Amino acid sequence: MSDVVEKTLTALPSLLSLDPQPGSAKLSSTSKLGNLIRAITELTSKHEEEKLIQCELVSLKEQISSPNTSMRQMKELMVRAIYCEMLGYEASFSYIHAIKLAQQGTVLEKRVGYLAVSLFLNESHELLLLLVNTVLKDLQSTNLIEVCMALTVVSQIFPKDMIPAILPLVEEKLNHPKEIIRRKAVLALYKFYLIAPNQVQHIHNKFRKALCDRDPGVMTASLHIYLQMIQENPEGYKDLTASFVTILKQVVGGKLPMDFNYHSVPAPWLQIQLLRILSLLGKNDQSTSETMYEVLDESIRRAEMNHNITYAILYECVKCIYTIHPKSELLEKAAKCIGNFVMSPKINLKYLGLKALTYVVQQDPKLALQHQMTIIECLDHPDLIIKRETLELLFRITNGQNVTVIVEKMLEFLRMSKDDYTTIDLVGKVAELAEKYAPDNEWFIETMNTVFSVGGDMMQPDIPNSFLKLLSEGFDSVEEDRKLRLFAVDSYVSLLQGEPGKLPQCFLQVISWVLGEYSYLSGDLEPARVLQLLARVLDMKQTSSETKSWVLVAMTKLCESGADVSVAQEVSETFSSSMDTVLRQKAHELQQLSQHSDLRARVLPRGSGSEPLEVDSSLSFLDGFVSEALAAGAAPYKPPHQRQEELAQAKALSLEPYGLSLPINMSSCSNADRQSPTLLSISSGLSGDSTDVLHRGGSTTLKLDGVKRLWGREGYLVPRENVDEAAQIEVPSPLQSPSRQGVADSSHTQASTPTQAPEPEQEKKQLASSLFVGLSSQSSLCLMGKSEPTPQRFRRKAKGHSSSLGAIVQISNSLVSHPTDVDSLLCNNQLGSNITSEQTSELPEGLTNANGTCDGEAKLNDRDTKVQKLSHTGKDGFAAAAPIPYEDPNRNEVFSISSHLPAELSGLSCSEITPLCSNQNLDLSACHVQKDDSVVQVVFITNFSDTSVQQMLLDIHSDQLEVSCASDSRLKDVRSHSVAVCQYFLSVKRPSAHVETVGMVSYQLTDGMRQEVQFSYKLPLTSFIRPLTVSTEEYGTMWLTFSNDTKQNLTLVSDAQEPLAATLNVLKKKLQLHIVEIIDMEGIVACQLLQDQPCLMHCRVHAGKLAVWLRSPVPDLPDCLIYHCQRALQEH
């Protein structure tokens, strides 16, 4: 950021023409901006700066508002206003004048005006509407500078609703004779694709033309669009693999102009983009990957310079090698690259090596064994960042055998860490590992106690919620449930008897809920004793109001006898006069329910925590109230995120540089994509000269006398005395159970006896054997396969989600396209080529037990299914059909599955039955049936084996859909050579162009071995669209109440006598829309998304196009529907 500011200040004098010599790099002594900057740098306090800037803003406002101010003077005033805004002071009075300067000035003045607009305003600012006509005019200008300025503004802050107005002009610029115009047009289209992808669906062929442009800059700009599109749908662009490979070969071979070189490296950023694209295209596709092997080997061989940019190229090569279908020679070279980094004595290179190893260990866990001693040394490294990244690596290789040692190391780091982000991140990882690999109940409860104690109130709320849900739902064993809950109760009672004032509020809430639900399991624990402990929590000054409400609810559940009632009455009288309305309500409930035991038993039945609750998530009971309020003039409801965005965008550039730095609660990020941007060359040494350059600088205003030196060549210098003190202080842990405390005390006593301590090297070897156990003993791994994971201790019941268990069998389908050959960078012959593809299937063997795996997926066309690698536990839901004769054991034999479709679904609109996946025992297929009020997904499970499969469980769920199993659709066993059928009702909870369900079948063979088959099923949103029959008057009333809308120009059906009616009839037939009325050149259409989520469409014929305006109360629904309208008209 400092470089940008420095370059801006350097260029300002030449922009303002303040010096007699053109291109001068010094501020003129007569420049008012220069005087302002000098005055600010001479100030000594924030107060003086505010006073000076306020005087400057008053002066600017007077001069800008003066009618005698010329355009040249306005240009200088605008630059001074930009500088004030950059310091965090609002200059909103200048916004409208910046737009006027962009509209009316000369080329240089327009340039300053556009710059000010792009810095002052955001994409949703209302003043941007005044800039639309100016941009349209400049896009049609013959002056190249004006066209460039307009395209630059369009790619930065242009409003989403105005894209259709300028999209044709931007498309025309793709054919402009000047390469800079074509490049900026491509970048503008890339911006359009990011904010409104549905509006540029029809110009994908022009993207291909930009990829084959004769100018390398235009081709490079198009890679941004392709990277985004391939991330969303890699199967649709497999035919371009040969083009990308050819381009990369020419770049690596130095065929581009020297202007693209950086430190003698040919177009490094272009290489990085291409490597990322190739890794996406070659994932789980052997034929596509084989075309990349040669260029990847060449890229690694040529990256031999000791420079950061070559490290970045090497890292992308390593990531690509471990992502695509493997080749042993390339894997060896990639492993050597990682080893050079990890073994480097320099902190920065070692850190990058750890990040690279963290990514690679997902595909090859045994690679960590080669560097286990280095990893052990990194655990004791003085740099906290190195230690944190090492723990991230250990998290990826955790299994049931080493979980206790790794979690102990994480908790040690947490106790000494002062960084909020690190605490939040590691707390989530420890909780995940504890639930997934806990060796016993005691260890699990004590570990979670430490998590709640160390994490405090900073942890994410889903951690305690998941813990309480786990206790409530239970597992497969009733006896295990009772033991776990009983140990939790005993542990929490001992904590409350100690010093509860030191426990975080979140932990106290968990304790209150557990004691209220399960304290009755302890026969030696009287309810009156628990009530006294909870009352003690209420009396603490530091207890928050929310925690007190949890405690009052827990006390309400425990009132059973006379002694209990007396304590409850005393507490309820205390809080009945509280200023907090919630506490008064809870106190009143406690008072009433404690006096009426029968009523309490009905309202709060014991052991009811795991019973499912029916929740009306749509709040339909408030529809009448909302309608009346809207009719009375109330504003439509805005979701919290929308309100926060509007509030955040109120001031565009108020950066508040001198504000206090407050801690921000950041959510735990996904670790599947954590990766380093650099990697060391195979043949390069470890000198790394570029990493040792010290950034020297000074300022006459800073006094550093007496300041401790905290940073050095190797990073942060930890004070030795602090480290020694931390090593000597023993942190008391009140979180252990009494039995384990005795064991700890005895071990401490034994440790204090004068015995000979083992050598440091021996300690490291012992620690390595504990940390890396389970990796060396794994079964032999294929290059892309992974060994089966350790079975998880806590198996949730069928109603919950959890990690996968047992041996996992996963199937991956992919579309393998045959690429065409491209002989040069000008691959124009690619545009007209016909692409053919065939569907193949792969059966990778097993998965690793490492966390955060990056599994591949194969995305198919609109109505096809896709199968991907997931980890979820299931619930049973089968209905057995009559056995069918087993004619041929050949797996390619096609069964007649359609005859097993349930009778009640026959005659309804049904999709084709699509194969999902198969293994040596089962075949899975699915279809979906459209009913008037719902969509039913039907899953067919065919047992090909000669024996019955037992204890079969099926779980289907979705992030976008609400899934419910039919009540008569459950089965435990499936006989040999028979078909089981299960039905699931689907409804949309979050609209998307295509929605997906993921599922898992878990079953047991006769030999007792448990296996799993995972799958996913994709269906379009149009399956949930139904006609909405309304009158024109009702349509108008609903239109005014909906706040989410989108606009788009669609293609008319031009071969009909009445194009509007013909187009609407096509949409009605394919999307099940209801045409309300057609008047002349306009029409209105209505539909609804199951259940009761309306969407209205206004259509108008304009300039040979169908201008469509959609509105709905549901966010994202208009964008999804406009996408399917485009597809329907294209298919027609």
Side-chain angles (χ1 to χ4, degrees), residues 10 69 136 387 505 548 990:
T10 305
T69 303
L136 287 173
K387 297 179 68 173
Q505 299 298 310
K548 290 179 180 179
R990 182 167 60 86

Side-chain angles (χ1 to χ4, degrees), residues 482-744:
R482 192 192 68 82
K483 290 181 179 180
L484 179 64
R485 294 164 181 169
L486 181 59
F487 187 83
V489 169
D490 294 339
S491 175
Y492 295 158
V493 168
S494 63
L495 289 177
L496 292 183
Q497 290 174 348
E499 297 181 359
K502 296 183 178 180
L503 301 178
Q505 299 298 310
C506 177
F507 196 9
L508 290 175
Q509 295 169 13
V510 171
I511 292 175
S512 302
W513 187 89
V514 173
L515 293 181
E517 287 286 338
Y518 304 116
S519 61
Y520 69 91
L521 295 176
S522 179
D524 301 334
L525 187 61
E526 296 294 333
R529 178 56 180 161
V530 180
L531 288 174
Q532 294 175 359
L533 294 175
L534 294 176
R536 182 184 174 188
V537 176
L538 291 174
D539 295 336
M540 295 188 306
K541 294 182 179 180
Q542 61 268 35
T543 305
S544 64
S545 298
E546 183 181 3
T547 303
K548 290 179 180 179
S549 65
W550 282 69
V551 173
L552 290 175
V553 173
M555 298 180 71
T556 306
K557 301 175 183 178
L558 295 172
C559 297
E560 294 182 354
S561 60
D564 304 341
V565 173
S566 62
V567 177
Q569 292 296 326
E570 181 181 352
V571 172
S572 61
E573 291 176 1
T574 303
F575 290 95
S576 60
S577 58
S578 174
M579 298 295 293
D580 193 316
T581 56
V582 176
L583 292 181
R584 288 204 307 270
Q585 173 70 21
K586 300 299 181 183
H588 180 70
E589 294 175 358
L590 174 61
Q591 182 180 15
Q592 297 298 322
L593 295 179
S594 62
Q595 296 176 352
H596 304 85
S597 58
D598 296 339
L599 177 61
R600 183 188 58 81
R602 293 197 305 270
V603 175
L604 299 172
R606 178 173 294 178
S608 62
S610 60
E611 295 181 0
L613 299 177
E614 294 184 3
V615 179
D616 185 3
S617 59
S618 63
L619 303 180
S620 59
F621 57 89
L622 292 176
D623 290 347
F625 171 79
V626 173
S627 300
E628 294 177 0
L630 292 175
Y637 170 76
K638 295 181 179 179
H641 65 86
Q642 185 176 352
R643 296 196 298 269
Q644 292 176 0
E645 290 177 359
E646 294 178 356
L647 183 62
Q649 294 174 355
K651 291 168 59 177
L653 283 177
S654 296
L655 303 179
E656 301 295 338
Y658 295 102
L660 294 176
S661 178
L662 300 177
I664 300 176
N665 290 334
M666 299 179 64
S667 58
S668 300
C669 62
S670 174
N671 298 287
D673 295 326
R674 296 192 63 178
Q675 49 194 254
S676 163
T678 60
L679 200 61
L680 193 64
S681 172
I682 297 175
S683 59
S684 63
L686 297 175
S687 60
D689 297 335
S690 59
T691 63
D692 293 334
V693 178
L694 296 178
H695 300 279
R696 297 182 176 89
S699 175
T700 58
T701 62
L702 294 178
K703 305 297 183 183
L704 300 179
D705 297 338
V707 179
K708 293 183 178 180
R709 184 169 178 264
L710 298 179
W711 294 90
R713 294 174 63 89
E714 299 299 326
Y716 181 71
L717 304 178
V718 181
R720 176 55 56 187
E721 60 273 13
N722 295 342
V723 177
D724 296 338
E725 292 174 4
Q728 295 173 4
I729 296 176
E730 180 180 355
V731 181
S733 176
L735 307 179
Q736 291 185 340
S737 64
S739 61
R740 295 222 167 185
Q741 286 180 355
V743 176

Side-chain angles (χ1 to χ4, degrees), residues 173-198:
K173 297 299 179 288
L174 293 175
N175 300 320
H176 199 276
K178 290 294 182 180
E179 59 276 359
I180 186 174
I181 302 296
R182 298 198 303 272
R183 182 168 68 250
K184 288 183 176 291
V186 171
L187 293 176
L189 292 176
Y190 173 57
K191 175 68 173 181
F192 294 167
Y193 185 83
L194 291 179
I195 62 177
N198 294 333

Side-chain angles (χ1 to χ4, degrees), residues 147-168:
V147 177
C148 287
M149 289 188 295
L151 289 173
T152 302
V153 170
V154 163
S155 61
Q156 290 180 346
I157 60 170
F158 207 73
K160 176 182 177 180
D161 296 338
M162 295 293 106
I163 290 179
I166 65 169
L167 184 58

